[in-house]
């Protein structure tokens, strides 16, 4: 199992970029931040999301969290992230079209294979 920040599968690295871009769009428009800065709350949310991605048991088979059968987020972070996605989703197409299209494609793939690849490997 990859440790945080080491040998992460490429899809998880791209997911990290996508979530960071989405949190930035949300924070800039709601909390008056700009460029690569974030307010404390959004920085905390992004750190939490990054940590979830580091530990995601679907690894290279992960699709989108929306269709995840586990939903590893705590309730509060999950609710805030839903707001972030709802707001930033449509705006991503203009600002980060490649990440946005990839995200939509991942959503079309639906839930990842079950059981998660990390559990299959550890049998
Ligand atoms: S919600 Fe599911 S897909 Fe998203 S990081 Fe957590 S376990 Fe992985
Ligand atoms: Zn913010």
């Amino acid at each position: 199992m990859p440790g945080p920040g080491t040998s992460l599968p490429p899809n998880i690295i791209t997911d990290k970029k996508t979530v960071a871009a989405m949190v930035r769009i949300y924070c800039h428009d709601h909390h008056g931040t700009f460029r690569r800065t974030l307010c404390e709350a959004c920085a905390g949310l992004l750190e939490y999301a990054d940590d979830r991605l580091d530990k995601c048991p679907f690894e290279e088979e992960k699709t989108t969290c929306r269709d995840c059968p586990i939903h590893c987020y705590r309730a509060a972070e999950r609710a805030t992230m839903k707001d972030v996605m709802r707001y930033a989703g449509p705006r991503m197409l203009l600002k980060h079209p490649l990440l946005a299209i990839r995200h939509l494609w991942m959503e079309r793939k639906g839930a990842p294979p079950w059981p998660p690849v990390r559990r299959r490997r550890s049998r």
Side-chain angles (χ1 to χ4, degrees):
M1 150 174 125
T6 59
S7 330
L8 286 169
N11 62 321
I12 298 283
I13 292 170
T14 310
D15 274 359
K16 286 187 173 213
K17 283 186 194 149
T18 306
V19 75
M22 291 177 106
V23 171
R24 271 202 303 274
I25 290 172
Y26 181 87
C27 187
H28 293 178
D29 290 358
H30 289 80
H31 307 139
T33 51
F34 59 95
R35 301 237 173 111
R36 297 197 79 78
T37 62
L38 290 174
C39 75
E40 206 177 310
C42 291
L45 179 68
L46 184 56
E47 204 175 298
Y48 179 80
D50 252 0
D51 182 59
R52 296 289 84 203
L53 285 168
D54 283 334
K55 295 180 174 132
C56 180
F58 294 104
E59 299 184 357
E60 69 271 19
E61 294 180 355
K62 178 186 180 294
T63 56
T64 59
C65 294
R66 190 192 71 171
D67 297 310
C68 176
I70 296 176
H71 277 303
C72 66
Y73 275 57
R74 287 187 299 240
E77 282 82 355
R78 190 174 166 188
T80 313
M81 193 53 92
K82 245 185 173 173
D83 288 344
V84 170
M85 297 278 154
R86 199 176 303 125
Y87 181 82
R91 288 162 179 86
M92 281 289 282
L93 270 170
L94 277 177
K95 297 200 178 209
H96 302 279
L98 292 181
L99 288 178
I101 287 163
R102 173 191 171 269
H103 193 74
L104 291 171
W105 173 64
M106 283 290 176
E107 280 184 349
R108 290 198 59 162
K109 284 173 89 173
W114 187 266
V117 63
R118 190 174 292 167
R119 284 189 208 162
R120 300 205 304 275
R121 275 202 202 107
S122 61
R123 274 179 187 165

